[in-house]
Amino acid sequence: MLLFAWLSTRPGSTVVYFPNRIVKGLEPWEGGSKTRNPFAWIKEALSSTEQDVIDMSGVDTAVYFVFLSTVLGILFLSGIVLLPVLLPIAATDDGVKKNAHSTTSNGTFNDLDKLSMANIQENSPRLWAFLLATYWVSVVTYFLLWKAYKHVSALRATALKSDEVKPEQFAVLVRDLPDVTPGQTRKQQVDSYLKSIYPETFYRSMVVTNNKEVDKIWGELEGFKKKLVRAEAIHEESEKKGQGTRPTHKTGFLGLCGEKVDSIEYYNEKIKDLAQKFEAEQKLTLREKQQGSALVFFTSRVTAASAAQSLHAQMVDNWTVTEAPEPRQLIWSNLTIKFYERMIRQYAVYVVVFLTVVFYMIPITFVSAFTTLENLRKLLPFLKPVVDIVALKTVLEAYLPQLALIIFLALLPKLLLFLSKTEGIPSGSHVIRAASGKYFYFVVFNVFLGVTIGGTLFTAIKTIEKKPNSILEILAKSLPGNATFFLTFVALKFFVGYGLELSRIVPLIIYHVKRKYLCKTEAELKEAWFPGDISYATRVPADMLIVTIVLCYSVIAPVIIPFGVLYFALGWLVLRNQALKVYVPAYESYGRMWPHMHTRILSALLLYQATMLGYFGVSKFVYTPILIPLPISSLVFVFICRKKFYGAFCHTALEVASQELKETPHMEQIFKSFIPPSLFSEKLEDEQFEDALSQVSRSESFV
């Protein structure tokens, strides 16, 4: 915090600490105070309202804070009952000494088991307190989740009702178009079919084309334009110094070999050649590379919302109509994938993800088993002098396995994003939601269950060999002992993770290095400091893992609850600052992530309830069946929430869409906002382009 307070006031660093404000044209310190007080940002974050977050970062970010505050509320309300009640009950029993099978923690935390259920004797009347506590955590979770769902539903409705014209609200995506009849163009097919259904409100259509080749040429052209601007900036800088040297480069591999040329002349020639090729490819794409899907535009939001919820053809694999994503979210290559191919891809991806989740457990289990100091001393003897330093040894014992695990998990998100995109999902935000779900189940299975089961099997392998039937009992008895690992895991995540998040040391260093040695133009400079969005694909599952860990251990080892509260309280505070000043949203889905967050919190709750049922059963508590209604009530709660709320997140409710706009929407502007950059042309006076990007009356147009 002190480092952040100092660095954020340094000249030249405002673009790293206030990029969101700069992008919106605001002064970095506007509305705040440029002060030497290192904690001024905390006051600003705490005093900010939900509307402030929506204004700066959108509804999705506000919904993320609803998630953080809901989980914080669940853990806080659980903690104020569980900590003062359960800790004294556990500490005053003597189960650790009397239970021969108990697996006590190692290292500096070996007294922790005395504050957990491990210290309660089998079938002890004291277990009643823990059983009632299990109910308390569940009831608190139901209450706060219901309240949060209602709040997020209202937030979404308010945002969709707003007077601001949102292009996607006037459009639908039509996929799985049937074959065109002879003598009819794809454009005519789409127009005639939808005009007959919506004669009053149909505006026009945009047939999706295969843009692979034109995108490639456009990318090359934009790249050469950037290089030309850079070369001109270098030449201008040279002239200011009185040298006037023209930049040169070699045309071979990575500029290391080949003919040496004048950069400005070379790039100008390349742009000239590519511009002609690009224009020809645009025309060819628009006329000859039309695909079996289209974006259709209506003059009414109600018609668009109604169309997205209706069955348009007798056969479900024809004329599939869904809500159109935001223009910036469209994944063009996925729009043309056919109905059955999408289904096959989806199930194939599920199989791949399942195999990844199951078999990734093997290396993670080995990581958790072998990244201990003792094993490292045996495997890497040259490290002995280092790891024997007392101060270092204590830190490494506590954090080494967790650090290895965090690094290991960092390799996974890109694979899951790629797999989600492969399913044929049409929008970027949906891909992120899908990848987030896969990542959640992955981390729960591999980190939570993997560490628990793997660590126990390695330490108790000999006992299991002698008594194979004792495996369930050993796993259950090991749960309090594994609380040590997870307690330090949570601590590491919020101490180091949020410290780096707030101070932004890595982006700051990268920016200053790029500015000094690499950036020559304003565009390059902006690219160097631009922060991107809040990265929900990895951030939400990481938070969900902490929710799962803390919930599952909340009754078994209540001492973990304060660490969970600290994680989400500090997260809320730090990310509030980042949302208001740093991150720039890449898209807006108006809270579509919330149902997924809600479902996964309930998945964590179900896992917690199943864990408690198993643990009470192994503790030979005769009243364990009293817990059976809990998982049933959770499933009922999921069903009720889905039926009551989920529909309004899948589709836009007609009562919301029917809200009148103060200004008449500019339909041609809405249409143009969906044209891909590689197909957009400013040469509207050119007759061929005018036909391709036609006016409404031109029914023969191809876009």
Side-chain angles (χ1 to χ4, degrees), residues 73-74 80 97 104 217 234 238 258 291 341 397 512 607 688:
I74 291 167
I80 58 173
K97 288 182 182 177
T104 53
I217 299 169
I234 292 168
S238 175
Q291 305 290 300
E341 188 185 341
E397 271 183 345
H512 282 297
L607 185 59
Q688 286 170 304

Side-chain angles (χ1 to χ4, degrees), residues 267-279:
Y267 294 139
N268 271 316
E269 283 174 22
K270 280 286 184 184
I271 289 166
K272 190 178 176 183
D273 292 343
L274 275 173
Q276 293 176 346
K277 188 180 174 184
F278 175 56
E279 200 170 301

Side-chain angles (χ1 to χ4, degrees), residues 31-280:
S33 54
K34 189 172 181 179
T35 173
R36 292 181 182 275
N37 179 0
F39 303 110
W41 68 273
I42 296 176
K43 185 183 175 184
E44 288 170 24
L46 289 171
S47 62
S48 65
T49 63
E50 191 169 62
Q51 191 56 48
D52 293 334
V53 174
I54 292 170
D55 292 341
M56 292 303 294
S57 288
V59 178
D60 285 330
T61 307
V63 167
Y64 178 63
F65 283 105
V66 173
F67 158 71
L68 290 179
S69 55
T70 301
V71 174
L72 182 60
I74 291 167
L75 299 182
F76 181 77
L77 289 176
S78 299
I80 58 173
V81 172
L82 269 56
L83 289 168
V85 174
L86 300 187
L87 289 182
I89 291 172
T92 53
D93 208 347
D94 211 14
V96 170
K97 288 182 182 177
K98 293 187 178 180
N99 189 351
H101 296 294
S102 178
T103 313
T104 53
S105 307
N106 295 318
T108 54
F109 300 98
N110 54 7
D111 287 334
L112 256 183
D113 287 352
K114 292 176 184 175
L115 298 174
S116 71
M117 282 183 78
N119 206 34
I120 305 294
Q121 296 176 54
E122 289 181 355
N123 203 21
S124 166
R126 294 175 183 237
L127 288 169
W128 272 108
F130 292 87
L131 187 142
L132 294 172
T134 307
Y135 264 92
W136 170 249
V137 173
S138 301
V139 170
V140 163
T141 306
Y142 299 145
F143 173 72
L144 291 180
L145 280 180
W146 181 267
K147 198 175 169 187
Y149 220 142
K150 285 181 76 174
H151 179 59
V152 173
S153 294
L155 270 183
R156 177 175 166 80
T158 304
L160 291 172
K161 280 180 184 176
S162 72
D163 291 327
E164 184 190 348
V165 174
K166 302 172 181 68
E168 65 275 11
Q169 289 189 313
F170 294 88
V172 293
L173 173 62
V174 184
R175 301 164 96 180
D176 310 311
L177 301 181
D179 294 335
V180 180
T181 54
Q184 189 183 41
T185 65
R186 182 66 82 181
K187 173 83 174 167
Q188 286 171 333
Q189 178 201 30
V190 174
D191 286 0
S192 61
Y193 185 84
L194 287 156
K195 268 182 185 174
S196 66
I197 301 172
Y198 307 103
E200 300 295 323
T201 52
F202 176 84
Y203 178 67
R204 66 190 297 191
S205 63
M206 179 190 292
V207 176
V208 175
T209 51
N210 182 351
N211 302 337
K212 190 175 180 182
E213 192 59 35
V214 76
D215 281 347
K216 184 182 173 185
I217 299 169
W218 180 75
E220 287 177 19
L221 190 58
E222 290 299 305
F224 281 122
K225 284 178 181 176
K226 282 182 183 178
K227 287 176 181 177
L228 176 62
V229 173
R230 179 183 173 84
E232 287 173 342
I234 292 168
H235 180 54
E236 193 179 322
E237 195 178 306
S238 175
E239 283 186 329
K240 282 179 184 176
K241 291 177 182 176
Q243 296 169 352
T245 310
R246 288 178 72 84
T248 59
H249 72 279
K250 290 181 179 179
T251 57
F253 180 70
L254 295 176
L256 301 172
C257 56
E259 184 190 351
K260 196 172 187 179
V261 294
D262 181 294
S263 296
I264 295 173
E265 287 179 8
Y266 178 81
Y267 294 139
N268 271 316
E269 283 174 22
K270 280 286 184 184
I271 289 166
K272 190 178 176 183
D273 292 343
L274 275 173
Q276 293 176 346
K277 188 180 174 184
F278 175 56
E279 200 170 301

Side-chain angles (χ1 to χ4, degrees), residues 376-624:
L376 285 177
R377 280 164 62 93
K378 290 174 190 172
L379 295 168
L380 306 168
F382 61 88
L383 289 177
K384 281 183 184 179
V386 179
V387 298
D388 284 343
I389 300 167
V390 178
L392 191 63
K393 186 178 179 182
T394 305
V395 174
L396 289 176
E397 271 183 345
Y399 292 119
L400 190 64
Q402 292 85 339
L403 198 60
L405 185 60
I406 288 167
I407 293 166
F408 211 61
L409 288 172
L411 304 172
L412 190 70
K414 284 193 188 306
L415 170 67
L416 296 180
L417 281 166
F418 168 76
L419 288 172
S420 297
K421 191 176 176 181
T422 308
E423 286 181 46
I425 292 168
S427 76
S429 64
H430 192 172
V431 165
I432 285 168
R433 290 198 300 275
S436 170
K438 293 175 180 70
Y439 196 41
F440 167 70
Y441 292 115
F442 176 88
V443 292
V444 167
F445 187 82
N446 283 293
V447 180
F448 180 69
L449 298 178
V451 169
T452 303
I453 295 168
T456 305
L457 293 182
F458 269 85
T459 53
I461 194 79
K462 288 181 180 176
T463 312
I464 293 165
E465 280 176 12
K466 291 175 186 175
K467 296 180 183 177
N469 294 336
S470 66
I471 186 165
L472 283 175
E473 187 179 349
I474 289 169
L475 283 172
K477 294 289 184 183
S478 73
L479 282 171
N482 283 318
T484 299
F485 174 91
F486 289 119
L487 192 143
T488 49
F489 180 80
V490 175
L492 183 68
K493 290 281 277 185
F494 73 75
F495 276 127
V496 179
Y498 286 130
L500 286 171
E501 175 67 64
L502 182 66
S503 60
R504 288 181 62 77
I505 293 293
V506 176
L508 183 71
I509 293 167
I510 291 170
Y511 165 68
H512 282 297
V513 168
K514 282 185 175 179
R515 188 179 72 162
K516 189 168 177 64
Y517 300 107
L518 300 174
C519 297
K520 299 295 179 184
T521 66
E522 285 298 318
E524 287 176 340
L525 208 59
K526 185 180 177 180
E527 211 174 276
W529 59 254
F530 195 77
D533 65 10
I534 209 162
S535 303
Y536 295 112
T538 51
R539 193 178 293 280
V540 172
D543 292 341
M544 289 293 180
L545 175 61
I546 304 301
V547 174
T548 307
I549 289 168
V550 180
L551 272 181
C552 286
Y553 281 93
S554 59
V555 174
I556 293 172
V559 76
I560 202 169
I561 294 174
F563 288 85
V565 169
L566 270 172
Y567 176 88
F568 286 102
L570 196 59
W572 187 95
L573 190 65
V574 169
L575 291 169
R576 195 79 163 187
N577 179 78
Q578 307 302 76
L580 293 168
K581 298 170 186 173
V582 179
Y583 292 118
V584 180
Y587 63 85
E588 179 61 87
S589 68
Y590 306 102
R592 281 294 300 272
M593 179 68 96
W594 173 255
H596 300 263
M597 292 171 167
H598 179 269
T599 303
R600 271 140 216 159
I601 294 172
L602 285 168
S603 299
L605 186 72
L606 269 165
L607 185 59
Y608 152 73
Q609 290 164 347
T611 303
M612 295 313 299
L613 258 168
Y615 194 82
F616 274 105
V618 171
S619 300
K620 296 174 182 166
F621 189 51
V622 292
Y623 298 103
T624 300

Side-chain angles (χ1 to χ4, degrees), residues 632-696:
I632 297 167
S633 61
S634 292
L635 292 170
V636 170
F637 185 75
V638 170
F639 178 78
I640 292 169
C641 286
R642 189 174 182 84
K643 288 292 179 187
K644 184 175 176 67
F645 300 110
Y646 189 62
F649 284 82
C650 275
H651 304 289
T652 303
L654 297 184
E655 70 169 352
V656 171
S658 63
Q659 190 81 10
E660 284 187 27
L661 292 169
K662 284 184 180 176
E663 58 181 271
T664 306
H666 192 296
M667 291 307 300
E668 194 61 19
Q669 206 62 41
I670 287 170
F671 174 81
K672 285 181 178 178
S673 69
F674 278 90
I675 298 173
S678 60
L679 290 180
F680 196 86
S681 174
E682 293 173 3
K683 296 186 178 181
L684 293 177
E685 72 278 5
D686 185 319
E687 187 60 37
Q688 286 170 304
F689 274 110
E690 192 178 325
D691 184 58
L693 305 177
S694 71
Q695 300 305 310
V696 188

